[in-house]
């Protein structure tokens, strides 16, 4: 029998490493990973909840992934109110090690005037900044910044072994010439949160803007039947596709669970 030379070992080791990689790729789905979605009406089922035909993008992203979706988004929420109502706590308690949790807020986080609306965050991005707001009954409450609420949620999820993904809010249907208007402050705030907590950041704002600008304002206007924030199912699907494009262009391991339809979504990396 001919004796195999030393060249056999590198080839055998290469085959073995490929086999191990294939097994490791399968393990997450066998373990039953879930993708949780935390956000507001732009992500939520039935959109703004008015029954006027709007829907959130979270309802459509599942068709592009091989993992199940648990859409925990709810209309009218901000990073603060989602925290205060215990919704982050529910997701943190339910999430298992290896689950993905996409967090996207900003539309409802702005200042509301002289009386607190229960959603506004303290102005700024510092974790130490607080603000005292007046409630409708005349009492006061100390509130924190967007970054404070977001970073607390992200760090708690990481402690559970979950995989948070911080996503920038989606743009409103407001144009300057042929382009979507510049993003509000909560977009760079979200990027700061991701950087401070060392998690993946998806610039959903710019990926949606890219998709909209390719389609054109006239058609995009048809995606917004009641205002400049809430989309039809057709528009929500465009927004979902833009999120998937952002995932594909990132280093997130969620890209391993994008199916053929997801890999075919339009536009390129920013």
């Amino acid at each position: 029998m001919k004796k195999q030379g030393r060249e056999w070992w590198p080839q055998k080791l290469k085959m073995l490493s490929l086999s191990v990689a294939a097994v490791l790729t399968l393990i997450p789905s066998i373990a039953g990973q879930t993708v949780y979605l935390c956000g507001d009406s732009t992500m939520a089922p039935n959109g703004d909840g008015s029954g006027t035909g709007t829907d959130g993008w979270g309802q459509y992203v599942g068709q592009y992934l091989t993992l199940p979706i648990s859409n925990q988004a709810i209309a009218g929420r901000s990073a603060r109110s989602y925290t205060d109502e215990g919704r982050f706590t529910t997701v943190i308690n339910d999430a298992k090690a290896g689950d993905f949790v996409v967090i996207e807020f900003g539309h409802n986080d702005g200042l509301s005037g002289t009386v607190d609306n229960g959603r506004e965050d303290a102005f700024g991005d510092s974790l130490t900044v607080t603000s005292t707001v007046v409630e409708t009954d005349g009492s006061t409450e100390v509130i924190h910044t967007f970054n404070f609420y977001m970073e607390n949620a992200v760090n708690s999820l990481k402690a559970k072994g979950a995989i948070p993904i911080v996503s920038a809010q989606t743009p409103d249907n407001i144009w300057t010439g042929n382009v979507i208007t510049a993003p509000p402050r909560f977009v760079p705030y979200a990027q700061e949160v991701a950087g401070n907590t060392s998690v993946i950041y998806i610039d959903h704002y710019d990926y949606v803007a890219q998709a909209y600008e390719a389609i054109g304002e006239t058609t995009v206007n048809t995606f917004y039947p009641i205002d400049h924030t809430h989309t039809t199912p057709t528009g929500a699907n465009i927004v979902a596709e833009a999120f998937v494009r952002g995932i594909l262009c990132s280093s997130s391991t969620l890209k391993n669970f994008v199916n053929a339809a997801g890999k075919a979504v339009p536009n390129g990396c920013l």
Side-chain angles (χ1 to χ4, degrees), residues 90-136:
T90 296
V91 173
I92 291 163
N93 289 339
D94 290 347
K96 307 181 303 297
D99 285 344
F100 295 94
V101 184
V102 180
I103 306 174
E104 181 179 292
F105 288 100
H107 282 287
N108 300 308
D109 291 79
L111 302 178
S112 64
T114 57
V115 178
D116 179 35
N117 63 1
R119 306 182 302 186
E120 65 175 294
D121 309 320
F123 188 82
D125 57 352
S126 170
L127 300 185
T128 60
V129 167
T130 61
S131 179
T132 301
V133 293
V134 179
E135 305 300 330
T136 55

Side-chain angles (χ1 to χ4, degrees), residues 1 4 10 16 46 50 72 79 92 97 99 103 107 118 120 131 146 153-154 160 170-171 202 231 249-250 252-253 267:
M1 179 182 293
Q4 292 173 308
L16 179 60
N46 195 27
S50 65
Q72 300 298 311
I92 291 163
D99 285 344
I103 306 174
H107 282 287
E120 65 175 294
S131 179
F146 175 88
V154 169
K160 283 288 297 288
T170 56
I202 302 298
T231 54
C249 293
S250 75
S252 173
T253 54
N267 302 308

Side-chain angles (χ1 to χ4, degrees), residues 36-47 55-60 71-74 102-105 167 170 204 243:
Y36 287 89
L37 304 179
C38 303
D40 55 38
S41 59
T42 59
M43 180 193 279
N46 195 27
D55 212 351
W57 68 266
Q59 295 301 95
Y60 300 87
N71 192 347
Q72 300 298 311
I74 186 166
V102 180
I103 306 174
E104 181 179 292
F105 288 100
S167 181
T170 56
H204 204 183
F243 177 79

Side-chain angles (χ1 to χ4, degrees), residues 16 47 51 82 87 92 117 126-127 138 147 152 158 162 165 176 205 217 229 231:
L16 179 60
Y82 204 84
R87 298 181 187 277
I92 291 163
N117 63 1
S126 170
L127 300 185
N147 292 47
N152 279 352
K158 288 176 66 177
I165 296 172
T176 302
Y205 191 99
E217 183 177 3
T229 302
T231 54

Side-chain angles (χ1 to χ4, degrees), residues 110-195:
L111 302 178
S112 64
T114 57
V115 178
D116 179 35
N117 63 1
R119 306 182 302 186
E120 65 175 294
D121 309 320
F123 188 82
D125 57 352
S126 170
L127 300 185
T128 60
V129 167
T130 61
S131 179
T132 301
V133 293
V134 179
E135 305 300 330
T136 55
D137 63 359
S139 63
T140 60
E141 180 181 349
V142 175
I143 61 173
H144 301 272
T145 63
F146 175 88
N147 292 47
F148 177 91
Y149 297 115
M150 293 283 284
E151 289 193 27
N152 279 352
V154 169
N155 287 328
S156 294
L157 286 162
K158 288 176 66 177
K160 283 288 297 288
I163 307 169
I165 296 172
V166 175
S167 181
Q169 71 171 81
T170 56
D172 287 329
N173 183 33
I174 302 174
W175 298 70
T176 302
N178 295 321
V179 299
I180 292 291
T181 193
R185 67 182 186 275
F186 297 105
V187 171
Y189 286 178
Q191 186 172 17
E192 287 179 9
V193 169

